Amino acid sequence: MTLALIDIHSGNLHSVENALRAAGAEEVTVTADPDAVRSADRIVLPGVGAFGACAANLRGVPGLEESLREAVLVNARPFLGICVGMQLMADAGEEMGTHAGLGWIKGRVRRIEPGTMDAKVPHMGWNDVSPSGPHPLVEAGEAYFLHSYAFEGDDVIATTDHAGPVAAAIGRGNMLGVQFHPEKSQAYGLNLLARFLAWQP
């Protein structure tokens, strides 16, 4: 099984790669090569920082967006987006202007507006992950979050509480996005990655 870990210069690739290997991945290719992405059995897209910068970095690689779309939407390869990698699955992000996402899941990424003054932004640290229903990958538990913007839209499959519900995971079919960082979430994160490696959607 080949796994393409997408390098768009906006994620902690070393930590994510180490976590994937600890979870059981044997062949991890860190790449932005469209042909490698197109032929991979599984795809992971990490991202940290601003939505617009991550989107621009992805689109700055000729053919990468098209190869991702072919692999994930046409050929139904299992896909995992992490943090901003999850947010990019949306139609658009509203961080420092409005920026187009991949448009895979209907929704927008907006600044968190917590309902109480003591809930700080960014949302940082350990918090509960509460699935909205059964999902083969996302279980109830605690994970590590670090973000100021959150997804609002369709196909939210788990939330966390930050003075109100905040999307913790989105997904449909062969696609999963998590707002938290599995690579920083110790046993909970490694177990999720292990389930992703075995997933047959």
Side-chain angles (χ1 to χ4, degrees):
M1 180 195 75
T2 58
L3 188 150
L5 178 59
I6 307 298
D7 181 7
I8 54 171
H9 305 292
S10 58
N12 191 347
L13 290 170
H14 185 66
S15 294
V16 176
E17 180 181 7
N18 285 345
L20 285 164
R21 293 189 185 279
E26 295 180 355
E27 191 173 344
V28 179
T29 302
V30 178
T31 184
D33 178 66
D35 290 333
V37 172
R38 194 175 286 109
S39 64
D41 298 310
R42 293 172 196 276
I43 299 167
V44 176
L45 175 63
V48 296
F51 183 105
C54 290
N57 288 350
L58 191 156
R59 294 191 169 105
V61 180
L64 180 56
E65 182 176 5
E66 293 77 13
S67 68
L68 275 169
R69 185 176 300 277
E70 180 180 338
V72 177
L73 300 187
V74 178
N75 296 327
R77 303 283 164 71
F79 172 88
L80 173 63
I82 297 173
C83 196
V84 182
M86 163 193 144
Q87 296 178 1
L88 288 173
M89 297 164 70
D91 294 317
E94 298 180 2
E95 185 174 0
M96 295 183 289
T98 299
H99 308 275
L102 295 170
W104 293 355
I105 291 185
K106 186 174 179 58
R108 298 176 79 84
V109 176
R110 296 187 169 103
R111 184 170 173 81
I112 299 170
E113 300 292 347
T116 63
M117 294 295 292
D118 60 345
K120 305 298 183 185
V121 177
H123 172 216
M124 179 171 62
W126 290 85
N127 209 340
D128 290 337
V129 176
S130 301
S132 54
H135 189 274
L137 302 188
V138 181
E139 297 182 350
E142 279 195 326
Y144 186 85
F145 292 81
L146 177 55
H147 62 119
S148 298
Y149 288 75
F151 175 87
E152 299 177 7
D154 294 348
D155 298 306
V156 175
I157 59 175
T159 59
T160 190
D161 180 58
H162 192 57
V166 175
I170 62 176
R172 186 180 68 244
N174 58 303
M175 299 180 288
L176 173 68
V178 295
Q179 183 61 69
F180 54 86
H181 289 270
E183 75 279 9
K184 297 180 180 179
S185 298
Q186 299 180 7
Y188 178 84
L190 290 180
N191 288 336
L192 182 142
L193 293 176
R195 290 191 293 273
F196 172 73
L197 293 173
W199 192 28
Q200 299 291 338

